[in-house]
Amino acid sequence: MNDRVVLRLKLLLIALYASLAGHAPGQTSSDQLSKDEIWAQIDSFFTPPVQYRDSFAALQSPLIGEEGRKVASADAWYRQRKIIATRWQGLLGGWPPLIQNQSLTYLDSTLHNGHTQYTISLQWTPKESTRGYLLVPHLRGRKPAVITLYYEPETAIGKTDKPFRDYAYQLVKRGFVTLSLGTTEATEEKTYALYYPKLDSVTVQPLSMLAYAAANAWQALALHPQVDSSRIGVVGHSFGGKWAMFASCLFEKFACAAWSDPGIVMQEDRPSINYWEPWYLGHHPRPWRERGMITESNPARGLYPHLVKNGHNLHELHALMAPRPFLVSGGSEDPVDRWTVLNHTVEVNRILGHTSKVGMTNRRDHAPN
């Protein structure tokens, strides 16, 4: 693996390192780096380029309260944060109670050089269970952990032909416990997401239900004896990036997150930023709208047009991350000018007394390279 690829992997995962104190996990005494040395390599990615500093997308600031006044203190922000979270919960639909005290069920295990791979099962909604993979490094003590999300769980452990998306495998080599999950059956059926209580009668928007499932995975992973429950992050690419974004924004126990080119705001001239689809934020009874761009003859339905009409966008959710760190690994859907969107959360962090909590790297194409 050449130096450029290694650097890209480090940058994609650096938001996860940002939640650590001291040395990165899994390093030997000969190659330990201090926290300052790590940040010296990547701190520029947590500062907007000069042309985008203090430049804001034309979106209402999450700091503007219901009376039209701008929040100016940490105490006032946390009151505003509760208002935003409650508003979005009402829009997306309230989650069922989280599934408590659930342990992972072990189905199989494979010993690898430096880690053990377990096939596991867990209940992630009140009516559904799923299979995935738990990778545990052969290191002593409690370790930070990451949940990886995608169309299926095999890609993140390196078992498919999708290059540079093997996040769970790359992370376990660096000393993280990793749990790889995906919506295998729904992907095969082209329904993609999770539907509660059933496909044709939902009370929770499907993308929010995916976030709920990830929260239940957090609940189970946090009980693992080798996991430090205060240091569990989440990462995903594309569909998985949307999933990881909603999971980390809506469930505040995730310590940090990395979102790879999900399309971090709703936008209707990019076919991959398709939050209007019925498996994301536009659920409606079948027959579903024809997949693709919004047109006069193929309009968006469900919640999505209501969100647009009322001026909502996803930067409101990003703000719920503060002061937890996150990284956008931007590609074709999240170019460098997305800093004007991220600056809304940078401003929230500034009020809370934090810097270097929001990061972005950029590449030309959607696919990781």
Side-chain angles (χ1 to χ4, degrees):
M1 188 176 293
N2 64 42
D3 291 343
R4 178 172 292 182
V5 171
V6 170
L7 178 59
R8 283 289 183 182
L9 287 166
K10 286 183 178 179
L11 293 174
L12 177 60
L13 306 174
I14 198 62
L16 307 170
Y17 289 145
S19 70
L20 306 179
H23 302 307
Q27 293 180 310
T28 65
S29 58
S30 63
D31 66 0
Q32 283 179 343
L33 294 175
S34 71
K35 187 176 180 180
D36 288 343
E37 288 171 325
I38 293 172
W39 275 106
Q41 295 179 29
I42 53 83
D43 61 353
S44 63
F45 296 99
F46 287 78
T47 302
V50 172
Q51 66 269 36
Y52 297 114
R53 290 177 194 172
D54 299 314
S55 178
F56 296 87
L59 302 166
Q60 178 163 302
S61 170
L63 293 168
I64 300 297
E66 291 183 324
E67 298 178 355
R69 290 196 294 267
K70 196 169 186 178
V71 166
S73 69
D75 286 344
W77 163 250
Y78 285 115
R79 290 192 294 271
Q80 173 73 351
R81 185 193 188 282
K82 185 175 181 179
I83 291 170
I84 294 171
T86 301
R87 179 189 303 136
W88 274 90
Q89 182 183 49
L91 291 166
L92 297 170
W95 286 357
L98 291 172
I99 300 170
Q100 306 284 345
N101 301 318
Q102 174 190 197
S103 298
L104 299 172
T105 300
Y106 293 84
L107 307 174
D108 194 10
S109 66
T110 305
L111 186 65
H112 292 266
N113 182 25
H115 73 275
T116 300
Q117 174 184 301
Y118 300 93
T119 304
I120 61 88
S121 175
L122 71 108
Q123 187 176 357
W124 62 354
T125 79
K127 296 187 174 184
E128 295 180 73
S129 62
T130 191
R131 288 193 179 195
Y133 300 96
L134 178 74
L135 278 56
V136 181
H138 299 158
L139 298 170
R140 293 180 180 177
R142 291 185 181 270
K143 292 164 278 295
V146 178
I147 296 172
T148 66
L149 304 170
Y150 201 51
Y151 290 107
E152 31 65 30
E154 284 76 25
T155 291
I157 65 169
K159 290 186 70 175
T160 69
D161 59 357
K162 299 180 178 68
F164 309 120
R165 303 177 201 191
D166 56 342
Y167 303 138
Y169 176 69
Q170 294 296 334
L171 281 161
V172 75
K173 291 201 303 182
R174 290 159 171 79
F176 290 78
V177 175
T178 57
L179 175 59
S180 178
L181 300 174
T183 56
T184 303
E185 292 181 1
T187 296
E188 292 172 351
E189 295 169 359
K190 299 190 183 302
T191 57
Y192 301 108
L194 298 175
Y195 304 88
Y196 180 82
K198 55 185 179 180
L199 181 62
D200 290 320
S201 179
V202 306
T203 59
V204 183
Q205 287 296 311
L207 187 49
S208 181
M209 200 63 193
L210 286 170
Y212 167 81
N216 283 323
W218 185 100
Q219 297 283 116
L221 187 60
L223 296 176
H224 193 284
Q226 294 192 50
V227 169
D228 179 351
S229 63
S230 70
R231 296 189 294 169
I232 301 177
V234 61
V235 61
H237 168 67
S238 191
F239 163 74
K242 289 179 171 69
W243 186 355
M245 179 170 63
F246 270 66
S248 55
C249 292
L250 295 175
F251 186 65
E252 60 186 38
K253 289 186 178 181
F254 280 112
C256 51
W259 315 329
S260 176
D261 210 37
I264 62 170
V265 286
M266 297 184 299
Q267 181 179 336
E268 294 179 5
D269 61 351
R270 299 288 302 179
S272 293
I273 309 178
N274 53 346
Y275 291 99
W276 58 80
E277 297 290 11
W279 49 85
Y280 287 140
L281 301 179
H283 188 271
H284 62 85
R286 291 185 292 180
W288 282 349
R289 69 182 296 277
E290 184 180 347
R291 181 175 184 173
M293 300 285 282
I294 299 172
T295 65
E296 186 174 343
S297 61
N298 189 31
R301 297 174 61 184
L303 175 65
Y304 180 86
H306 172 82
L307 294 173
V308 173
K309 180 180 179 180
N310 289 279
H312 294 296
N313 216 312
L314 304 183
H315 70 299
E316 299 170 20
L317 293 180
H318 305 165
L320 301 181
M321 286 294 294
R324 295 172 293 149
F326 68 92
L327 175 79
V328 178
S329 176
S332 58
E333 309 312 307
D334 288 308
V336 67
D337 64 9
R338 287 286 198 235
W339 271 111
T340 63
V341 174
L342 296 176
N343 281 338
H344 286 287
T345 303
V346 171
E347 189 177 28
V348 173
N349 275 297
R350 188 178 298 128
I351 285 175
L352 298 178
H354 294 281
T355 59
S356 301
K357 293 291 187 175
V358 179
M360 182 163 63
T361 60
N362 297 99
R363 58 183 180 270
R364 185 188 65 183
D365 298 324
H366 179 58
N369 61 25

